[in-house]
Amino acid sequence: MKTFYIAANWKMNKNPEDAHLFLEEFKEKVTLKKGREALFFPSFLSLEVFKKMAAGSDIKYGAQNCHYELEGAFTGEVSPSMLKATGSEYCLVGHSERRQYFMETDSLLSKKIEALSKQDITPVLCVGETLEQREEGKAQTIVQQQLEATLKEPIKILIAYEPVWAIGTGKVPSIHDINEMHNFIREYLVKKWGAVGTETPLLYGGSVKPENCEEIENVENVNGFLIGGASLKVDSYLGIYQGE
Ligand code: PGA
């Protein structure tokens, strides 16, 4: 059975105490199911809370960002080896907010991916076009460029397709458009990486909520979600996790 990922991107929300309360409620209410991976991206500060509270459960977690060096004079940064020590198994790379507000470029992201892989942390690479790019008919070209510039050797990675204009806006692309883009990414990966490309999980992100998740989950090459706003409350996250 293929794993379906329900990944929560908490962004700059929730302090460690909030994370603790969330996990208490979550563990009480959830029935973790085989084949559905509950995955959380809290702030760096809450990773230790996850380490303690997720121990012995199938709850997975990771960071929203990292540096590509393992240590050194990089004030304010956190390295992949530090993440490893928190038990993080995943790390987001190149979320559109990092690209937009922190000027992260594809060549930087490529270094982060390589560094994470070396630490056995699975990168979750985010790609996606802006509204202007979509309207100009360039969505696939942009996504292909982002993949081309960041992916080298076949590695264990998750790709999250997140149209920038759908993030936090309540706007979701049509099922036709999601299907078309996910098929496009799949074909690209299979051509580039063969069998690894066939297995690489493709997540959809951008205004996923309990009301629209079922329809999107049924799209052939959608293997999971990356969820912002709707992941902040236990009940709404569970509405997506439980698939109800
Ligand atoms: P959203 O965010 O679900 O609030 O649109 C998704 C994301 O930014 O990963």
Side-chain angles (χ1 to χ4, degrees):
M1 186 209 271
K2 250 192 166 170
T3 301
F4 195 85
Y5 296 81
I6 299 94
N9 175 11
W10 282 357
K11 311 192 180 187
M12 201 171 69
N13 295 292
K14 294 192 191 295
N15 60 34
E17 178 62 19
D18 301 325
H20 185 97
L21 292 172
F22 181 101
L23 282 172
E24 254 177 10
E25 186 185 343
F26 179 68
K27 284 166 72 174
E28 200 181 291
K29 291 184 173 172
V30 73
T31 311
L32 289 170
K33 298 183 205 164
K34 260 216 161 86
R36 290 184 86 74
E37 184 141 310
L39 172 56
F40 293 88
F41 294 97
S43 92
F44 288 130
L45 296 181
S46 296
L47 290 172
E48 288 291 333
V49 174
F50 272 80
K51 187 180 184 181
K52 279 196 198 95
M53 295 189 69
S57 80
D58 285 328
I59 299 169
K60 307 283 183 187
Y61 57 92
Q64 299 169 15
N65 181 33
C66 71
H67 196 270
Y68 57 84
E69 293 285 357
L70 296 188
E71 59 184 12
F74 301 100
T75 302
E77 293 295 308
V78 173
S79 79
S81 49
M82 291 169 179
L83 296 182
K84 189 82 191 164
T86 67
S88 295
E89 291 181 52
Y90 295 87
C91 184
L92 294 181
V93 176
H95 187 279
S96 69
E97 286 148 19
R98 302 283 329 159
R99 294 176 190 259
Q100 188 182 348
Y101 304 130
F102 303 97
M103 314 306 153
E104 294 200 355
T105 61
D106 285 328
S107 70
L108 175 74
L109 303 180
S110 166
K111 288 185 192 170
K112 293 187 185 201
I113 290 172
E114 200 185 326
L116 285 163
S117 262
K118 280 193 185 144
Q119 294 297 310
D120 258 337
I121 297 176
T122 305
V124 181
L125 172 68
C126 305
V127 296
E129 81 288 353
T130 62
L131 186 58
E132 198 183 351
Q133 289 162 339
R134 175 155 287 270
E135 283 171 355
E136 285 171 359
K138 292 187 188 150
Q140 290 187 357
T141 313
I142 293 297
V143 167
Q144 179 163 347
Q145 279 168 2
Q146 291 170 339
L147 295 171
E148 194 67 36
T150 47
L151 301 180
K152 310 288 177 216
E153 261 96 74
I155 49 164
K156 185 172 179 232
I157 191 168
L158 274 55
I159 310 283
Y161 168 58
E162 298 204 300
V164 179
W165 51 274
I167 294 175
T169 58
K171 290 185 196 143
V172 182
S174 66
I175 292 298
H176 172 270
D177 287 351
I178 295 177
N179 185 40
E180 194 172 66
M181 184 60 89
H182 279 245
N183 287 344
F184 174 76
I185 297 173
R186 175 69 67 217
E187 275 167 33
Y188 173 86
L189 289 173
V190 171
K191 221 187 268 168
K192 191 178 178 79
W193 283 351
V196 177
T198 313
E199 294 305 318
T200 301
L202 306 183
L203 278 49
Y204 168 79
S207 297
V208 174
K209 41 186 190 258
E211 298 77 41
N212 62 17
C213 64
E214 196 182 329
E215 205 185 4
I216 306 173
E217 182 164 344
N218 287 334
V219 176
E220 193 191 347
N221 275 308
V222 171
N223 313 119
F225 298 128
L226 184 55
I227 313 152
S231 74
L232 293 172
K233 294 226 163 69
V234 172
D235 288 342
S236 126
Y237 176 85
L238 278 176
I240 301 169
Y241 181 85
Q242 314 282 22
E244 285 153 11

